[in-house]
Amino acid sequence: MPALRVCALYPDVMNIYADRGNLLVLERRCAWRGIGFELAGAGFGDRVDPDAHDLFYIGGGQDRDQELCAADLVATKRDALAAAADAGKVLLAVCGGYQLLGHAYALEDREIPGLGLVDLRTVRDPGPRLIGNVAIEVDLDADGSKRVLAGFENHAGRTALGPGAQPLGRVLHGHGNDGASGFEGVRRDNVIGTYLHGPLLPKNAWFADWLIATALGGIELQPLDDAFENAAHASARRAAGM
Ligand code: GLN
């Protein structure tokens, strides 16, 4: 049996809305299938080995938390994460982590540097925060099989995708990247950024499986009894007005 090797970036700092719960979902869904799960954490000053992990994860954070991590992220982990992305490793980034995938997150008087792994830029807007339940339509396998991700967003930053960036999905309900474009998140091969909290994976178990299968090279996963998880998904969709 394979093992899913996960590296969590700044797990103690980038964990707003219990985003670290996403890791528990990955662990449980692997364990229920007899798939091993190895979790490593990378904090301040730690280097990461792009070959030692199948999936890299960074959660959300307040502006202050992002600022604490950003310089270290760029200085000690950028090259490894860029290599991992180029090698097709899965990189999942939520909210504050998502913003750090791009070129920069601009505050009123300064810029928080980003990894520049995807072509996007975020600006903190002095206007109202974009808060509420959100649902987006995604076509992850690019075969027309559209599915819904449901979650909750709360961000001051407005993210603009550059011409070289593809969104993760189309907003069905909620604000998404900027409250205006109709786009949510970003997708570059297996690099995925999204504003969706929930945490994301407990509310969208099917997406957790997509990540596990993709990270393990596209393996077929044994189905699980997802009655409980599907009920959670339906409830999140109802909360998003669908
Ligand atoms: N601090 C960022 C913003 O407000 C991200 C917030 C978050 O991770 N929920 O835009």
Side-chain angles (χ1 to χ4, degrees), residues 130-171:
L130 303 181
I131 303 176
N133 291 307
V134 51
I136 67 170
E137 184 178 68
V138 296
D139 181 6
L140 291 174
D141 297 317
D143 60 358
S145 57
K146 300 203 165 90
R147 302 202 62 171
V148 173
L149 285 174
F152 176 79
E153 61 185 329
N154 181 354
H155 49 109
R158 269 59 164 174
T159 296
L161 302 182
Q166 297 296 320
L168 172 63
R170 196 173 62 81
V171 175

Side-chain angles (χ1 to χ4, degrees), residues 103 117-120 161-167 186-188:
H103 302 300
L117 297 184
V118 287
D119 183 17
L120 62 82
L161 302 182
Q166 297 296 320
V186 74
R187 167 99 189 262
R188 178 195 139 199

Side-chain angles (χ1 to χ4, degrees), residues 16-17 19 60-63 66 94-97 99 105 122 124 129 154-157 195 197:
I16 205 171
Y17 291 113
D19 283 329
Q62 313 265 15
D63 293 357
Q66 290 173 270
V94 172
C95 200
Q99 295 170 343
Y105 174 31
T122 304
R124 185 169 71 189
R129 296 182 69 83
N154 181 354
H155 49 109
Y195 273 115
H197 297 283

Side-chain angles (χ1 to χ4, degrees), residues 58-130:
I58 182 163
Q62 313 265 15
D63 293 357
R64 190 180 152 275
D65 302 328
Q66 290 173 270
E67 206 157 9
L68 280 173
C69 298
D72 183 78
L73 186 64
V74 174
T76 67
K77 300 173 182 59
R78 192 202 171 277
D79 292 348
L81 293 172
D86 289 346
K89 303 284 178 143
V90 173
L91 206 167
L92 174 65
V94 172
C95 200
Y98 163 40
Q99 295 170 343
L100 295 180
L101 287 184
H103 302 300
Y105 174 31
L107 308 179
E108 285 74 42
D109 54 350
R110 61 199 186 284
E111 286 209 339
I112 298 178
L115 290 165
L117 297 184
V118 287
D119 183 17
L120 62 82
R121 201 182 141 75
T122 304
V123 176
R124 185 169 71 189
D125 193 281
R129 296 182 69 83
L130 303 181

